[in-house]
Every structure is written in C-alpha cells, then in structure tokens.
Amino acid sequence: MSGRVYASILERASSYTLTLSSTAPRQYAHLAAFLSSRPRPAHHCHLSSWSTFRSDRLCCSGEKSVNWSQSGRHFSARQDLDFQLSWVQINSILRSNEQSVSLPEFDGRELSAVRKFESNHLAANTPHEDRRSTATCLQSKGMLFGVFDGHGGWACAQAVSERLLNYIAVAMMPKHSLEELEECMEHERPVPPILQWYKHHTDFSVHRKFASLYLDHLRVFWQELLDTEEHGEGMSPSDALSCAFKRLDTDISLEAQVPLSTDLMKSTAVQVAFAGCTACVAHIGTDGIHIANAGDCRAVLGVQQEDGSWSALPLSQDHNSQNQAEVERIKAQHPPSERETVVTDDRLLGVLMPLRAFGDVGFKWSRELQQSITTSLESAVELDSLNLYHFNPPNYLTPPYLDVTPEITYHKLRPQDRFLILATDGLWDELCSEEAVRLIGEHLSGIHLEAPVSPSEKRLKLGQMHELLLKRRARASPALDTNAATHVIRHALGTGENGELCQERLASMLALPEDLARMYRDDITVTVVYLNSDLARHNHS
C-alpha cells in the first residue's frame, strides 16, 4: 500500500510523524480499508477546538517501518500496532471494566423495583473521560444510577460522579434525618451513611482532602434545607433531581473562586470548573422512574410487547443542535442580534457540542472573572500543567450561554417495561436507541424474533435474498457475553456489513494506539438496569 494512500486515511492524525514503506504489512491494509470506509460521527468531540492537534507534520519516506510519535512516544509496527487481536485479547479488553450486581427483592423497607444491573465502560481517551455511579438511597427510598460524559479532561466528570448522588439523596431526605446528620457533625460523631454505593474496583475515588471539602459543602446544602420551613418530608424525586443538579454546579463554580487550603486543591477546583461534563441520572422507585438529563447522554426504556418483540421508549432528549427546541430555548435567552451566532456549526458559539452541562465556566462566567481566576493561579502553578482548556469563544457578548438545569421526565412502571439503558453518547454514536434495545432484549430473552418476509423482500433477487438470510443468521448467533452492557458495546463496535460480529473490525477498533483511538470512537459507558416486572404487575392489579 502506497504512503500516499495511507497518509490520506490517517490525515486527521496530524499530531503524529508517519514514516511508511511503499509495501506496508498486510494487516495495515485491512485496517486502512476499515477506517476509510467507516463514517466518523459528526459529534465525536464535544469541543471543536479540542479535536485539532498541535502539529500538522505528516511525511512519508522509503524506510521499512511505520512509526507514530508524539511527545517522545513511539509505536512500532511489529510490537505496538498489532491489529490482529485474538478473541481472548478482545474479550479481555471488553470485559475488564464490567460490573454485574444482583439486588434482593426486599431491601428491609420495601420491595425493590430493580432486580439487578449490569454496567461497563470502554475508554478511547487516555485517561478516559466517562464516569458512572450507582447507589441505593439509605435515608429515603429508591436507587440512583448515573452516567457522566466529561469533556476538556476527566476532572469535572469525576467530581460530579462522586458528589451528585449525595446531593440528590440529601434533597429527598426528611427533615428529621437531616437534623440527625447535623447533630452528628456538631458533636463530631460518625455521620450515618446517606448512600450505599456500588463501585467497581477500576472506578476512581476522590482524594480524602477533597472528600472533606465536598462533605463541608454538602453540609451547607442540608443546613439550608433545614432552614426551609416547607422541607418537611423531603423533596419529591423530581424536585430533588433538579435542585441537586443546579446546586452542585453552583458549588463547583464557587469552589474555583474562593481561597482553598493548598495550591493543589485550588488548581484542581479550577480544573473541575473549566472542564465540563454532561449527565443523565435515573431515580428508580416502586412508583416509577424519574430521569434528569443535561446534555447528550441518553436514557432509553426497553419494552417487550405481547408478541415478544422489543421497542424503545426514549426517556430523555439529547441537548444538542439536533434538538431544535433546545436551540430555540438558548437563542431566546440572548438578544435578537445574537440569533445567528449563539449556535453556529452545530455548536454553542461554534465550539461546544452539548447545550447543557456541568462546569464549563468558560461559557458561564464573565470574561473578567475568568481572567481573574486564571491570573491568580499563574503564580502558584504552570497553567499548561493543568491541561486547562481556557479560551475565549467568539461572539461572547451576553454570558451565561450555558446552564445545567436538567430536563426531568417521569415514567410510571408497567409490566412490559423490562430494562432501562443509561449510556453516554459514545454508544449512541454507533447505535440507534431501537438497535440497542433489540440487542439487549434478545440477549435477555435468548429469543431472536424475525419479522415475516415482506412482499418487497419476496421479490428480491437471489443474491439479495442470500444477503438477507446472512443478516438473519447473524442475529441468531449465540451471545458471547453474560453481561448485557458488554454485549451491546461489542456489537456497537464490531458489527459487520451483514449484521455479523466481525473479529477483524472489532480488533481494529480496540487495537488503535491510545492517541489515535479518539479519532474513530468515543469513550463508551453503558448501564443496563433490569426492572422488577412482578412489582409493576402488582401495582397495576
């Protein structure tokens, strides 16, 4: 394969220096054919300025080697770029972060609306920028599930994943429980746990210094709730979700502005605030599901019809430029003179893809405040070392342009509601909601339903009929994974032209060097929550 062809395939990897012989190994030809034919989703990068690279040097020579280099790192053709992964290697990569938890039908207080959940994530960024959280509310009822998609680094997603569920749980707690928390804090006694967390051993945890800071600010929140006469029995899930999203975002903003005990804590707080993340959180109780969504993560309900077929019921809307109502909402918040500049090139101010998010104070603070905060850091730490993506968007005239107010939806559980999918947009870049539900539904039931051959299909030519049969046979292949989240990620990245699992395609996507993978796929996080249909059936009887 000529250097010119290979360069055209990888022209977007402009941070790399490429030297390539005129006869590259055959395995690269397979990769090249796959990548060149693979459509790259238009919204892979949340920030357009972060999808460009520092260097545009791409050269070809007659040397008999293939090398990518960046920041002194080298990937050799023989060692690092082996795209022919075995099934054992593929399975090891796909399953390293999977989680499966079965829950008791009765938790000591009430019947559980959740039978079990399965989760997984697959990184494309290094380090990956997605996070996930799951917990049972111990002082109130129900379970909380969240997926968080960071951009501009992982800092904001990490902070939100550690803190948001606590804010939601506190908001739902009755006043007497908040009083008990406050009394324990005042007398320096152990504070009763608010949540029972379900963490995977690969999930990151916050440093103890930040845990103390976060608890102090959570305490201020519950003190304010105690001062509110109408708090009484606590907020409804809907109000608690909305309040918690907004309050945590306010705290993230304030923490970046106030003095903190160390330069490390100050710089980290600024990193969290200038980075951003989208969030989709579900509260599942015996009465139903409440969804709070801010950004382009998604919640989809898997519904099984009487004939055994599956359908997808969206419980959230993506907050991006494809949502015209969302675009009009943002435009209405600014003067008519800005209607043509608020959303351009399908991005907020031509830069940011999601139209709601935590953090991202570069789209919320005044220019003067941003300058003040970054200037105050310069004497203590090198800003470049923080990976602080601070820049001035064009047409930044009437901030704020962004907020985190979540869109809340409620769904009363029915017997036919079998599972809930929460996933970051890395999954939805590859699969539509209906396909994700079908994959998980058939994985759950073990039954692959096929619609009768339609009149138009009966008129297919022999070759076309053969292709149709190949697709149907591919769907009926036995599942390779017991974990449904892993199953759907595998199919999202590895499905071939006829619907079959293609080892070569999957290996190519998983073996890309870490600095190149982000150009062809995003971080993917999926949580599948299996619902207690017996409880829903009882509630409907």
Side-chain angles (χ1 to χ4, degrees):
M1 180 172 57
S2 71
R4 184 169 56 216
V5 171
Y6 199 86
S8 69
I9 294 169
L10 297 176
E11 62 184 353
R12 299 188 68 90
S14 54
S15 62
Y16 298 93
T17 300
L18 175 65
T19 56
L20 179 68
S21 72
S22 59
T23 56
R26 182 176 300 176
Q27 63 192 46
Y28 301 124
H30 294 318
L31 175 73
F34 164 62
L35 294 181
S36 62
S37 66
R38 178 180 176 81
R40 184 172 180 267
H43 54 292
H44 256 206
C45 291
H46 280 103
L47 287 165
S48 62
S49 62
W50 299 345
S51 64
T52 57
F53 295 84
R54 293 186 181 91
S55 169
D56 60 358
R57 190 155 62 96
L58 184 68
C59 61
C60 298
S61 74
E63 296 178 19
K64 295 183 179 181
S65 63
V66 180
N67 292 291
W68 282 276
S69 65
Q70 185 184 39
S71 303
R73 299 192 58 186
H74 296 272
F75 301 96
S76 69
R78 293 183 179 179
Q79 297 176 8
D80 297 278
L81 294 181
D82 182 5
F83 295 100
Q84 303 304 306
L85 298 179
S86 68
W87 274 119
V88 172
Q89 292 170 309
I90 289 171
N91 291 340
S92 177
I93 294 170
L94 287 176
R95 296 171 181 170
S96 60
N97 298 307
E98 66 181 10
Q99 181 183 27
S100 181
V101 177
S102 295
L103 298 158
E105 187 175 1
F106 182 74
D107 66 2
R109 297 173 298 169
E110 61 179 356
L111 289 172
S112 174
V114 176
R115 295 191 299 109
K116 68 175 180 177
F117 69 89
E118 295 173 336
S119 184
N120 200 355
H121 64 73
L122 179 69
N125 291 289
T126 306
H128 73 97
E129 298 178 349
D130 281 4
R131 295 293 187 271
R132 58 186 174 182
S133 295
T134 301
T136 295
C137 299
L138 296 176
Q139 307 293 334
S140 57
K141 297 178 179 180
M143 289 190 69
L144 292 166
F145 299 86
V147 293
F148 311 93
D149 187 352
H151 47 267
W154 53 265
C156 188
Q158 177 63 36
V160 173
S161 69
E162 291 276 357
R163 306 175 68 181
L164 181 59
L165 303 196
N166 276 314
Y167 279 67
I168 297 167
V170 162
M172 292 191 294
M173 287 170 60
K175 197 165 189 176
H176 67 83
S177 296
L178 295 179
E179 289 171 341
E180 182 182 357
L181 293 181
E182 182 58 24
E183 186 177 346
C184 290
M185 292 289 288
E186 286 181 355
H187 295 88
E188 298 183 349
R189 297 200 303 264
V191 176
I194 297 170
L195 296 169
Q196 177 185 343
W197 290 88
Y198 301 92
K199 288 185 176 289
H200 188 262
H201 66 86
T202 61
D203 292 343
F204 294 92
S205 294
V206 69
H207 191 278
R208 63 180 182 274
K209 288 185 177 180
F210 292 100
S212 178
L213 172 69
Y214 294 165
L215 178 58
D216 289 343
H217 290 188
L218 181 65
R219 183 185 181 186
V220 173
F221 178 45
W222 79 53
Q223 286 173 336
E224 293 179 8
L225 293 175
L226 283 171
D227 291 337
T228 304
E229 292 184 4
E230 62 269 21
H231 189 70
E233 293 303 310
M235 296 183 187
S236 67
S238 179
D239 291 339
L241 288 162
S242 182
C243 178
F245 269 61
K246 291 182 283 189
R247 177 53 183 256
L248 176 56
D249 195 53
T250 297
D251 283 355
I252 287 172
S253 177
L254 290 175
E255 287 159 9
Q257 301 175 51
V258 301
L260 295 175
S261 58
T262 67
D263 289 340
L264 173 62
M265 293 186 71
K266 177 65 176 178
S267 61
T268 301
V270 172
Q271 271 187 294
V272 170
F274 275 92
C277 89
T278 62
C280 188
V281 175
H283 175 271
I284 303 179
T286 54
D287 59 333
I289 303 173
H290 290 84
I291 300 290
N293 186 54
D296 49 12
C297 296
R298 192 181 301 172
V300 179
L301 193 65
V303 181
Q304 189 169 33
Q305 308 300 336
E306 290 185 1
D307 63 0
S309 63
W310 295 93
S311 62
L313 178 63
L315 297 185
S316 67
Q317 297 187 66
D318 298 348
H319 298 134
N320 54 34
S321 62
Q322 306 306 307
N323 183 339
Q324 195 56 41
E326 184 70 2
V327 172
E328 290 302 319
R329 180 188 70 84
I330 292 177
K331 288 182 176 181
Q333 296 175 351
H334 300 275
S337 58
E338 294 187 60
R339 282 193 61 84
E340 302 304 317
T341 59
V342 171
V343 178
T344 59
D345 296 328
D346 292 330
R347 298 171 184 265
L348 185 66
L349 298 178
V351 178
L352 185 67
M353 180 66 70
L355 302 182
R356 303 190 197 193
F358 282 95
D360 281 320
V361 294
F363 296 87
K364 297 174 181 177
W365 289 354
S366 67
R367 289 189 189 275
E368 293 74 20
L369 178 56
Q370 294 181 49
Q371 184 63 40
S372 172
I373 296 301
T374 54
T375 300
S376 70
L377 275 182
E378 288 177 358
S379 60
V381 65
E382 287 286 337
L383 292 184
D384 286 347
S385 70
L386 297 181
N387 293 321
L388 188 63
Y389 295 93
H390 178 230
F391 53 91
N392 294 317
N395 301 301
Y396 197 77
L397 305 173
T398 56
Y401 288 90
L402 185 70
D403 67 65
V404 78
T405 303
E407 189 170 13
I408 308 292
T409 57
Y410 170 72
H411 177 80
K412 184 174 177 62
L413 285 174
R414 308 165 301 176
Q416 62 266 40
D417 300 330
R418 301 298 303 279
F419 57 84
L420 175 70
I421 308 172
L422 295 174
T424 56
D425 71 332
L427 180 72
W428 311 118
D429 287 346
E430 312 293 343
L431 291 177
C432 67
S433 298
E434 292 76 13
E435 185 68 4
V437 165
R438 183 190 66 78
L439 283 167
I440 295 174
E442 293 180 351
H443 182 269
L444 173 63
S445 65
I447 299 173
H448 301 263
L449 295 177
E450 297 290 0
V453 177
S454 67
S456 61
E457 289 174 333
K458 290 179 180 179
R459 293 192 295 269
L460 294 176
K461 295 180 180 178
L462 182 59
Q464 294 170 318
M465 180 61 75
H466 177 66
E467 183 176 341
L468 176 64
L469 292 174
L470 286 175
K471 290 181 178 180
R472 291 189 166 214
R473 186 173 67 180
R475 284 187 55 181
S477 300
L480 298 173
D481 304 291
T482 58
N483 185 299
T486 307
H487 176 73
V488 76
I489 292 173
R490 183 189 297 271
H491 280 263
L493 296 180
T495 299
E497 297 300 324
N498 293 316
E500 80 288 1
L501 270 175
C502 175
Q503 180 176 349
E504 184 179 71
R505 179 183 292 262
L506 192 54
S508 297
M509 293 306 293
L510 296 179
L512 287 167
E514 59 187 34
D515 292 332
L516 187 60
R518 185 60 180 87
M519 297 168 58
Y520 293 96
R521 60 180 176 86
D522 197 357
D523 297 331
I524 301 176
T525 298
V526 182
T527 296
V528 182
V529 184
Y530 296 95
L531 304 169
N532 188 347
S533 55
D534 291 338
L535 176 63
R537 200 170 287 113
H538 172 76
N539 291 340
H540 277 71
S541 61

